[in-house]
Each structure stands twice: as C-alpha cells, then as structure tokens.
Amino acid sequence: MSPNQPAGRVARFGAFDLDARTGELRKRGVRVRLQEQPFQLLAILVERAGGLVTRDEIRLRLWTTSTTIAFDQAVNNAVAKIRIALSDSAESPRFVETLARRGYRFIENVEWVGDPGDAAAPQPAAAPAARAAIVRLTTDDRTVVLTEGCHIVGRDPDASVWIDSAVVSRHHARLVVQRDRITIEDLDSRNGTFVNGARVAGMSALAHGDQIRIATHALVVHVSIGKTANGTADIVPQPAGERR
C-alpha cells in the first residue's frame, strides 16, 4: 500500500471504486477486469490525483528491469488498457491525461471511502469536507465561471476561456480547479504564461490576488470559497510585448 493512500480506504471516482489492497476495480459494484500492471499504474495515478506522475517514476516503481524500448511499449499498453477499463479517451480524457514527453495525470476528483469489507468496524469521524473554490474570469464582454475540473485558456473558439488575440496560442494554458486548490500550466505557448511576473514552467499554484499574464493579457485572480462566493478574475489588456 502506498504511504499516500489512507489505510483501510477505497478510492472512489465517478462510477468506479478502486481497492489497492485487494487489487479490485469495480464499476457500480461490478468488478472490472484489469491486468496487474495496468491496475498498479492506475493505483499510482489515483493516489496522486491532480499531480504529474512522470514516466521515470513509473519506470522506477513498476518496470525497474525493462529496457527503454520495452518500457515505452509496456507503459503505453498499460495506459491503453486503463482507458479501455474506464471507458476513457486519450483525445478527450475524463480520468487519465497524457502530458507529452513527461508522464500522466489523473484528473478526476477522488474520494476516499471506508472499505465495504470493514463496514462493521468503527470509523473515525470524518473531517469537514473542503468547500469548492469558485473562480470567475471577467473579459470585456462576458464572465466565465470556472467550476471544478480542467479549463483551457486560448484562442481556440472551443476553449473554456476564449481570448481572441493573435498573440495568444490556440491552446495557451490550462487552469485546474480542484476543491480548494487552483493551478495553471502553460501548454507550450509561443508567448508564455506568467504568474506574478515569473514565467510558468510546469504547473504553478494560484492564490487570491495573483496576477496571471496570458501573452499580453493580464488576469487578476480573485478566489472565493463556498456557495455564496462572488470572486472574479478580471482580464486587463496590456501593451503588445515581444513575441517569443
């Protein structure tokens, strides 16, 4: 059992329950067949939900004796089997997201619940659930409310936060809202993503009052917690800067 997994607990996400101790994946109570290595990989991704699990880390934990070519084939096959078991898609992932040349991330919310087999045992009182963060992004002509999940910022009309500007990449950055945690990640954009003046490399956590810059477009982040929150993030155009 991983030290990150609560003892005697089962990971629940969507319609699925995963029990790393028994090696079982169930969908609405019905067992889903998944081979041992894909299951172990899924368990690692679930225990680190929301965070990047690098290919090097996967190699060290699951394929220590494999050659590079054998490992690449094995991990690609394992991820494909996980997606089949979860009815997931690489193109539009709900559960397992590929981060090119780096690794994978489990993007669905995970709830740790009591082991059904230990239902008769006394359970400690649950801590109060974290209230979800509410983020609103205000542009010149609209307000975009960001709920829990992943949101693309970019020039693509299908982006969650659409910025119609030639200096903004089609898929410029990714915002992830996960309960009380908010992060932003640059998606290899041409002109960069910045938080408080520092260029983002990888994933960067966001807090109330931070300033994000998407190429030449600045966003001042206002975050509120709870159902009655009314925080906003205002997009303020900046003078055209040097293209990168």
Side-chain angles (χ1 to χ4, degrees):
M1 182 188 305
S2 163
N4 293 330
Q5 178 184 339
R9 309 287 275 179
V10 173
R12 175 166 294 165
F13 47 92
F16 295 92
D17 289 333
L18 181 145
D19 190 334
R21 296 183 309 162
T22 63
E24 292 181 312
L25 175 67
R26 295 183 179 274
K27 182 176 183 180
R28 299 189 180 92
V30 178
R31 186 169 182 176
V32 178
R33 295 188 60 182
L34 189 59
Q35 294 174 338
E36 182 177 356
Q37 278 191 318
F39 181 89
Q40 291 177 352
L41 176 55
L42 176 59
I44 292 171
L45 294 171
V46 167
E47 76 188 26
R48 296 269 299 279
L52 168 66
V53 180
T54 67
R55 293 177 72 89
D56 286 342
E57 180 179 351
I58 294 169
R59 181 203 295 273
L60 289 173
R61 294 183 64 172
L62 298 181
W63 279 280
T64 55
T65 61
S66 298
T67 66
T68 299
I69 295 176
F71 165 73
D72 286 342
Q73 293 174 340
V75 73
N76 290 342
N77 289 339
V79 171
K81 290 176 181 178
I82 290 171
R83 286 183 169 131
I84 291 172
L86 300 180
S87 301
D88 203 10
S89 164
E91 293 74 22
S92 301
R94 177 183 174 187
F95 298 105
V96 179
E97 177 185 40
T98 300
L99 301 178
R101 301 181 298 279
R102 287 183 287 170
Y104 303 92
R105 177 166 57 208
F106 196 83
I107 58 176
E108 179 61 75
N109 292 326
V110 176
E111 177 188 6
W112 294 97
V113 299
D115 184 348
D118 296 335
Q123 298 293 329
R131 292 180 294 171
I134 296 177
V135 180
R136 291 187 176 90
L137 304 181
T138 303
T139 67
D140 292 337
D141 59 355
R142 73 192 192 281
T143 297
V144 180
V145 178
L146 300 184
T147 57
E148 285 195 49
C150 296
H151 305 276
I152 298 298
V153 181
R155 198 177 72 250
D156 192 321
D158 291 332
S160 301
V161 182
W162 177 49
I163 302 177
D164 186 14
S165 171
V167 298
V168 174
S169 299
R170 292 180 62 82
H171 297 92
H172 196 104
R174 177 190 292 110
L175 278 161
V176 178
V177 180
Q178 191 173 36
R179 291 196 179 275
D180 59 349
R181 182 169 180 262
I182 305 168
T183 58
I184 190 167
E185 179 181 13
D186 186 77
L187 298 178
D188 296 324
S189 66
R190 174 181 295 183
N191 290 320
T193 301
F194 301 80
V195 175
N196 297 329
R199 187 159 188 162
V200 172
M203 187 184 300
S204 179
L206 295 176
H208 181 78
D210 283 347
Q211 178 168 317
I212 303 169
R213 183 157 56 86
I214 303 294
T216 59
H217 297 266
L219 299 80
V220 179
V221 179
H222 298 270
V223 181
S224 296
I225 305 297
K227 294 181 179 180
T228 62
N230 59 0
T232 63
D234 300 323
I235 297 182
V236 182
Q238 296 291 305
E242 178 183 358
R243 292 177 67 87
R244 299 176 184 267

